[in-house]
Amino acid sequence: MEPTRDCPLFGGAFSTILPTGAIDVSDLRPVPDNQEVFCHPVTDQSLIVELLELQAHVQGEVAARYHFEDVGGVQGARAVHVESVQPLSLENLALRGCCQEVWVLSGKQQVAKHNQQVAKEVTLHQALLRLPQYQTDLLLTFNQPP
């Protein structure tokens, strides 16, 4: 198992555990203030932690699908396909006291990188944590390129 390190997020508001070699993308390029982005130095896998405005007009599984499709739109995906959406039990979650519901989604998107023309199929795994008392949707996206 790869060694890990504790990594503060959003100025220390909370933290996560990452592999020691994970690269903070904000050291390489600008990252929006509502995101923390990390990538693996060899595999191109990435983890994006986003604090988003609560989308109160969508609930449950529909909310998970909404955010997946929104990410696809932002990335200019040529195709998006949801493979599975499941609720996650709050029992073992550190944020269970403030989290209303959690959904886990897996899917694929056809996406071209920044300066490339050819789109590649990328597998995405997302976890959506709904935090209505903070008017926030916390979205974790793990990108697994081919």
Side-chain angles (χ1 to χ4, degrees):
M1 189 163 168
E2 204 171 340
T4 60
R5 65 182 166 100
D6 190 52
C7 184
L9 302 173
F10 303 105
F14 52 98
S15 65
T16 190
I17 297 172
L18 294 172
T20 302
I23 297 168
D24 185 339
V25 172
S26 68
D27 292 339
L28 307 174
R29 63 169 171 81
V31 171
D33 290 343
N34 70 316
Q35 292 182 353
E36 297 279 359
V37 183
F38 302 92
C39 67
H40 190 278
V42 177
T43 65
D44 261 353
Q45 294 172 325
S46 64
L47 174 67
I48 303 167
V49 181
E50 291 182 88
L51 296 174
L52 302 168
E53 182 179 343
L54 180 72
Q55 299 300 311
H57 67 284
V58 288
Q59 298 296 317
E61 180 179 330
V62 176
R65 290 176 181 274
Y66 172 88
H67 283 292
F68 180 75
E69 291 170 5
D70 186 57
V71 166
V74 168
Q75 293 183 349
R78 297 178 184 159
V80 296
H81 173 71
V82 174
E83 294 180 336
S84 68
V85 184
Q86 300 174 23
L88 187 67
S89 171
L90 298 176
E91 282 180 9
N92 299 320
L93 192 64
L95 294 173
R96 69 183 163 272
C98 58
C99 191
Q100 180 183 38
E101 61 180 336
V102 180
W103 291 87
V104 178
L105 180 147
S106 291
K108 296 186 183 299
Q109 296 184 354
Q110 293 281 336
V111 180
K113 278 198 166 187
H114 305 288
N115 53 359
Q116 298 176 352
Q117 295 297 319
V118 178
K120 293 183 180 177
E121 186 172 76
V122 177
T123 300
L124 279 79
H125 305 283
Q126 291 185 324
L128 173 63
L129 293 83
R130 317 270 346 244
L131 309 168
Q133 68 273 37
Y134 301 110
Q135 293 298 301
T136 300
D137 279 338
L138 173 60
L139 185 65
L140 308 172
T141 303
F142 177 72
N143 291 297
Q144 185 176 351

